């Protein structure tokens, strides 16, 4: 079973994604409470996360820049951890473009749009 840490801005989305991943039987899911992004690093270390899945937005603590800094910190302590970002490509096309560029630059391992189906998200995260 792989350890995954989920950090989402929206409580409903966070709960839905965590439940979806846990139901596969492939993951032990740890959730960062919305608004508590400062807890992400310590939770990753405590769980020895295999995957860190985070939502990005324009809100403080959830910006692409803050998420990439966090990824750098986690990568130094847990070299085998994989990183995936989730963003809303419909409401913020510019942010979605920047997330795609982060993937192309190998700063993250994967990205997903919030418009993907639950089945696709689950399968893609399992493949990480």
């Amino acid at each position: 079973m792989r350890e995954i840490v989920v950090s989402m801005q929206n409580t409903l989305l966070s709960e839905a994604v965590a439940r979806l991943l846990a139901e596969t039987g492939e993951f032990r899911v740890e959730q960062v409470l919305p608004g508590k992004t400062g807890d992400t690093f310590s939770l990753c270390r405590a769980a020895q996360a295999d995957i860190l899945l985070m939502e990005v937005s324009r809100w403080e603590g959830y910006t692409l820049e803050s998420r990439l800094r966090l990824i750098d910190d986690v990568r130094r302590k847990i070299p085998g951890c994989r990183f995936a970002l989730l963003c809303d490509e419909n409401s913020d096309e510019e942010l979605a473009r920047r997330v795609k560029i982060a993937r192309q630059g190998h700063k993250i391992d994967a990205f997903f749009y919030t418009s993907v189906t639950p089945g696709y998200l689950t399968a893609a995260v399992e493949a990480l």
Side-chain angles (χ1 to χ4, degrees):
M1 185 164 297
R2 294 165 50 193
E3 298 286 340
I4 184 166
V5 173
V6 175
S7 177
M8 305 283 172
Q9 176 181 326
N10 178 293
T11 303
L12 185 60
L13 179 61
S14 182
E15 288 291 329
V17 168
R19 185 173 30 260
L20 182 70
L21 293 169
E23 287 174 354
T24 67
E26 298 289 324
F27 299 104
R28 187 176 358 266
V29 182
E30 298 289 341
Q31 286 181 263
V32 176
L33 293 174
K36 300 287 187 179
T37 56
D39 296 344
T40 308
F41 179 76
S42 59
L43 189 54
C44 285
R45 284 190 63 184
Q48 283 299 292
D50 296 300
I51 300 170
L52 174 56
L53 174 62
M54 299 184 289
E55 180 181 15
V56 293
S57 71
R58 302 252 181 208
W59 288 89
E60 185 177 339
Y62 296 93
T63 65
L64 179 59
E65 294 76 19
S66 66
R67 296 305 205 173
L68 292 176
R69 281 191 303 274
L70 176 60
I71 286 169
D72 287 342
D73 292 343
V74 173
R75 186 174 278 132
R76 279 192 290 278
K77 293 294 180 184
I78 311 170
C81 189
R82 307 292 302 257
F83 304 95
L85 299 179
L86 181 72
C87 66
D88 184 343
E89 80 282 13
N90 294 316
S91 68
D92 197 333
E93 292 177 11
E94 172 60 21
L95 180 59
R97 185 186 70 74
R98 291 175 45 227
V99 168
K100 180 180 72 172
I101 290 169
R103 171 62 187 109
Q104 290 169 332
H106 305 286
K107 294 178 180 180
I108 59 175
D109 297 295
F111 72 92
F112 308 104
Y113 295 141
T114 55
S115 61
V116 300
T117 65
Y120 177 82
L121 179 63
T122 302
V125 172
E126 284 180 18
L128 279 175

